[in-house]
Amino acid sequence: MKLLVAFALIASLGALAQAEEEYCHNSVVTACSSSTFSGESNSICNARFAGIEHVEPEVQAYINSQLTKSYEYLLLATHFNSYQKNRPGFQKLYQGLSDRSFDDSIALIKQITKRGGIVDFNTRHESAASVSTQRPTLEVDELHSLALALDNEKQLATGATHIHTRAIHATERDPEMAHYMEEEYLGKQADSVRKLSGYANDLAKLMKVPDPSLSIYLFDEYLQKQ
């Protein structure tokens, strides 16, 4: 008797599972059919899940900020690579920061599109981490260029922290985006801020002499070896 009840229970569960599977299959076919699917964000036929819509504007603002910093670092690298300045160490430093910021922006674009978003450069996205639109003066001396770069890196670190916090504490959380920002940006930006703050303080101390030209030359030599 018990065996018959068990078989009946298994049969009923199997029928229920088959019915649910058919329902899910029919729902997907209906939603994704060419006659009804138009690509709206409320359709199930996309890669969007969790709280991506709550952090997407901040991520797009951060992409814009990364591209802006990449351009500014490139201008600094060009400035110090001229025959007048001839600072290959500083040129190497800022070229590296420019390349890194550009690569980071590309990685974020891939992350957003992987999650079903679209990066729209025609729409400006503002966030709590957005920086002033006033363009800084990039034709500066060596010490001021380090101060400018340090400020840029702190802004990027703040932007990454803001996205991470938003992904954790939004109405609908997005743990995957929070994990991505923590793994790919937070530690890297902290290291960059630490390195540039050390450079700025070291050079400031070296320049406390009547003629700092030799100190700047030696510091540039040091940067070339990094």
Side-chain angles (χ1 to χ4, degrees):
M1 184 66 180
K2 292 182 178 179
L3 187 58
L4 291 176
V5 173
F7 278 128
L9 180 58
I10 293 174
S12 62
L13 291 175
L16 179 61
Q18 183 178 2
E20 290 181 350
E21 182 179 351
E22 291 178 355
Y23 174 77
C24 293
H25 175 266
N26 292 335
S27 298
V28 171
V29 170
T30 301
C32 301
S33 63
S34 59
S35 60
T36 59
F37 177 56
S38 57
E40 289 87 352
S41 60
N42 60 352
S43 169
I44 65 172
C45 298
N46 55 49
R48 301 177 72 84
F49 63 93
I52 185 63
E53 67 275 3
H54 297 289
V55 297
E56 188 174 2
E58 282 79 8
V59 175
Q60 295 205 18
Y62 194 62
I63 291 172
N64 291 337
S65 182
Q66 287 278 12
L67 289 173
T68 300
K69 301 308 180 189
S70 176
Y71 176 71
E72 292 178 359
Y73 285 139
L74 181 60
L75 291 180
L76 280 174
T78 303
H79 172 63
F80 286 106
N81 195 41
S82 65
Y83 72 92
Q84 295 99 330
K85 298 298 281 187
N86 192 27
R87 298 291 184 218
F90 281 89
Q91 188 273 334
K92 177 184 176 182
L93 172 65
Y94 296 131
Q95 184 65 58
L97 290 172
S98 177
D99 294 342
R100 186 220 61 195
S101 289
F102 184 80
D103 291 341
D104 284 349
S105 65
I106 297 300
L108 278 170
I109 291 173
K110 292 179 179 179
Q111 174 68 9
I112 282 292
T113 55
K114 183 183 77 171
R115 293 294 306 277
I118 298 176
V119 178
D120 181 11
F121 292 106
N122 294 322
T123 303
R124 185 167 184 81
H125 297 270
E126 299 292 342
S127 70
S130 297
V131 298
S132 173
T133 56
Q134 184 177 2
R135 290 178 56 83
T137 301
L138 298 178
E139 294 184 358
V140 293
D141 59 34
E142 291 80 1
L143 181 58
H144 285 86
S145 72
L146 289 175
L148 176 62
L150 177 58
D151 187 51
N152 284 346
E153 292 304 296
K154 286 185 177 181
Q155 290 173 1
L156 292 176
T158 300
T161 302
H162 176 73
I163 296 173
H164 182 267
T165 304
R166 179 74 170 169
I168 294 177
H169 298 290
T171 304
E172 189 174 356
R173 299 179 182 181
D174 196 322
E176 192 274 340
M177 181 61 75
H179 175 74
Y180 176 79
M181 296 302 298
E182 184 173 351
E183 289 289 316
E184 300 295 333
Y185 292 93
L186 295 183
K188 180 168 61 177
Q189 288 299 146
D191 291 341
S192 184
V193 169
R194 168 63 183 86
K195 180 177 70 174
L196 286 171
S197 63
Y199 286 168
N201 280 279
D202 288 344
L203 185 58
K205 294 174 183 177
L206 292 172
M207 293 182 66
K208 291 181 179 180
V209 292
D211 184 8
S213 57
L214 179 59
S215 298
I216 296 174
Y217 175 81
L218 293 175
F219 190 80
D220 185 76
E221 289 282 315
Y222 167 77
L223 290 181
Q224 291 183 59
K225 299 176 183 178
Q226 301 306 302

